[in-house]
Amino acid sequence: MSALFGLGQALLLAFDPERAHDLTLKTLELGLYPRAEGADDQRLKQTLFGLEFPNPVGMAPGFDKNARVPRQLLEMGFGFVEVGTLTPRAQSGNPAPRVFRSHADRAVINRLGFNNEGQAAALQRLKERPRGIVGVNLGANRDSTDRIADYVEGVARMAPVADYFTINISSPNTPGLRDLQAPRKLGELLAKVQEARKGLGASAPPLLVKLAPDLADADLPEVVRVIEEGGADGVVISNTTLARDGLKNQAFARETGGLSGRPLFDRATRTLARVYRLTGGRLPLIGVGGIDSPGTAFAKIEAGASLVQLYTGMVFEGPGLIGGIKRFLSVAMDDDKCNSLQPLIGARADEWAEKTLPEVVV
Ligand SMILES: Cc1cc2nc3c(=O)[nH]c(=O)nc-3n(C[C@H](O)[C@H](O)[C@H](O)COP(=O)(O)O)c2cc1C
């Protein structure tokens, strides 16, 4: 079976990236995917912001923007799935081509621009709730005149089907969206979203904020302070980067958009470690960006992540990566003689936080 999926993976990589992605979703819808082998190691379980995660490996948003296959992804062994980004109204995104792969760099650049069928369509699909944790990633429409109102609308509409929300203010592909990371705007956004959550009573899903890896070091403490004061339950670090340093494929490097995959790993992990230090471990963090092996997933945990997510690594490595990461984490817990991931989380945050990288000029 796994050889068959290996072949499928090789074929998919020969297609145009967006076409390959569409084929992958269709394959999942048809039920042609590898199921996780056996139950998860009990030591991988964690209760975070009121949710019980069976394992810490999640599917990052952007893969299943319209909530077509969360059940299938959970059955493949992911401990949670984040769907979206969903905007209140459907929108087509930027003109194609808008997704680019570089095999030499094990990386993707995308400038999709929140193409999605809108929240109402996803809401309908998610009413048949799969067994497992499904987070909903929320965004704002490109032509919206009040972007904060779009997030508020998303929270109110999607609450019945969301196990948690992620406020995505870090996509580089919607002009001006990242301005919402500025402390004053972010404070206003969180206050309004929290008001909407209050209206939902005790059943309000927890709220996470997803940051860019390109925030300047000097701005990070204030951003984190506002997130904590705004009552967020967790932080996701990170979205794609505008940086292009170290890429081998120069034609690829010139494409506009957000870079993901291996070249993002150091930048995203360093920012994660910095946020971990700033929050003193008080808030659960999701580490994303450049995980393409069990070792890189483990490094995110040691840098401060309680949970990890991946996308681009799945494109190049295929679904075997999910089980590989879980097995590696079990061995790491054996080696450290611990019966949960807890002692490993943030164990090397200082080292990661001090890493020197060129600052991104945006
Ligand atoms: C094609 C593509 C589309 C994406 N779309 C979204 C999105 O809609 N919302 C979002 O929050 N992140 C999106 N992302 C970012 C991923 O969730 C993730 O943060 C980033 O790719 C880094 O992880 P990776 O290196 O494992 O891919 C997208 C990434 C890719 C490659």
Side-chain angles (χ1 to χ4, degrees):
M1 198 68 165
S2 62
L4 178 68
F5 284 105
L7 181 66
Q9 195 70 21
L11 273 174
L12 283 173
L13 287 171
F15 280 103
D16 153 78
E18 225 180 311
R19 175 106 187 90
H21 181 245
D22 206 47
L23 279 172
T24 306
L25 288 177
K26 289 204 171 95
T27 310
L28 288 166
E29 283 174 333
L30 287 170
L32 300 170
Y33 56 91
R35 271 67 174 174
E37 289 165 23
D40 285 332
D41 181 341
Q42 286 294 310
R43 296 173 301 170
L44 293 173
K45 198 157 66 180
Q46 292 177 88
T47 303
L48 301 164
F49 33 85
L51 298 173
E52 194 170 288
F53 291 82
N55 75 66
V57 188
M59 181 79 234
F63 177 82
D64 189 9
K65 285 184 186 267
N66 295 304
R68 286 165 58 179
V69 291
R71 175 179 57 79
Q72 290 87 329
L73 292 167
L74 291 164
E75 285 174 4
M76 281 170 72
F78 281 113
F80 63 111
V81 173
E82 190 170 315
V83 301
T85 293
L86 289 158
T87 55
R89 285 167 292 108
Q91 60 179 30
S92 56
N94 291 319
R98 52 193 184 170
V99 186
F100 308 87
R101 261 188 319 243
S102 168
H103 290 256
D105 296 296
R106 309 294 273 191
V108 165
I109 291 174
N110 92 82
R111 51 170 179 271
L112 288 164
F114 289 168
N115 56 316
N116 76 107
E117 294 171 14
Q119 288 161 1
L123 177 69
Q124 224 31 55
R125 288 192 186 109
L126 288 171
K127 279 192 174 150
E128 200 179 306
R129 292 189 72 168
R131 282 209 327 198
I133 297 176
V134 179
V136 174
N137 182 299
L138 297 173
N141 278 110
R142 183 187 171 106
D143 62 0
S144 168
T145 49
D146 183 350
R147 288 194 166 150
I148 291 182
D150 279 17
Y151 291 95
V152 170
E153 196 178 327
V155 165
R157 181 180 290 120
M158 300 305 287
V161 296
D163 288 308
Y164 71 86
F165 285 121
T166 299
I167 299 292
N168 179 9
I169 45 172
S170 47
S171 166
N173 299 317
T174 297
L177 192 83
R178 285 182 168 201
D179 296 349
L180 290 171
Q181 291 179 130
R184 209 173 51 79
K185 274 279 171 209
L186 182 56
E188 191 189 330
L189 167 65
L190 285 172
K192 293 207 168 133
V193 166
Q194 292 294 25
E195 216 178 280
R197 281 180 73 236
K198 258 195 216 119
L200 299 166
S203 65
L207 188 76
L208 279 59
V209 177
K210 184 167 179 178
L211 296 177
D214 304 335
L215 284 164
D217 285 351
D219 294 338
L220 207 52
E222 186 64 2
V223 171
V224 170
R225 189 185 64 75
V226 171
I227 288 175
E228 285 207 272
E229 284 184 8
D233 299 285
V235 190
V236 187
I237 308 126
S238 75
N239 216 310
T240 55
T241 179
L242 292 170
R244 293 291 186 269
D245 39 286
L247 292 181
K248 299 184 181 96
N249 181 338
Q250 289 311 306
F252 171 75
R254 281 191 293 276
E255 293 295 348
T256 306
L259 173 74
S260 58
R262 192 173 288 175
L264 170 60
F265 180 74
D266 280 356
R267 188 172 297 283
T269 310
R270 177 181 186 273
T271 310
L272 165 72
R274 294 197 154 229
V275 174
Y276 180 81
R277 284 214 303 202
L278 288 164
T279 53
R282 286 182 298 275
L283 281 184
L285 308 180
I286 303 185
V288 205
I291 295 177
D292 62 0
S293 63
T296 44
F298 184 55
K300 289 280 188 205
I301 289 172
E302 288 192 309
S306 295
L307 301 168
V308 298
Q309 287 177 324
L310 48 151
Y311 184 166
T312 307
M314 287 286 287
V315 172
F316 292 103
E317 304 300 326
L321 187 54
I322 311 164
I325 293 173
K326 292 193 284 188
R327 283 191 295 277
F328 188 98
L329 295 178
S330 289
V331 173
M333 287 187 286
D334 291 342
D335 289 349
D336 272 46
K337 297 187 176 38
C338 42
N339 51 19
S340 79
L341 290 170
Q342 195 53 47
L344 304 171
I345 296 168
R348 294 173 76 172
D350 285 341
E351 207 176 302
W352 270 103
E354 296 307 329
K355 230 179 172 42
T356 318
L357 289 175
E359 287 234 353
V360 185
V361 184
V362 289

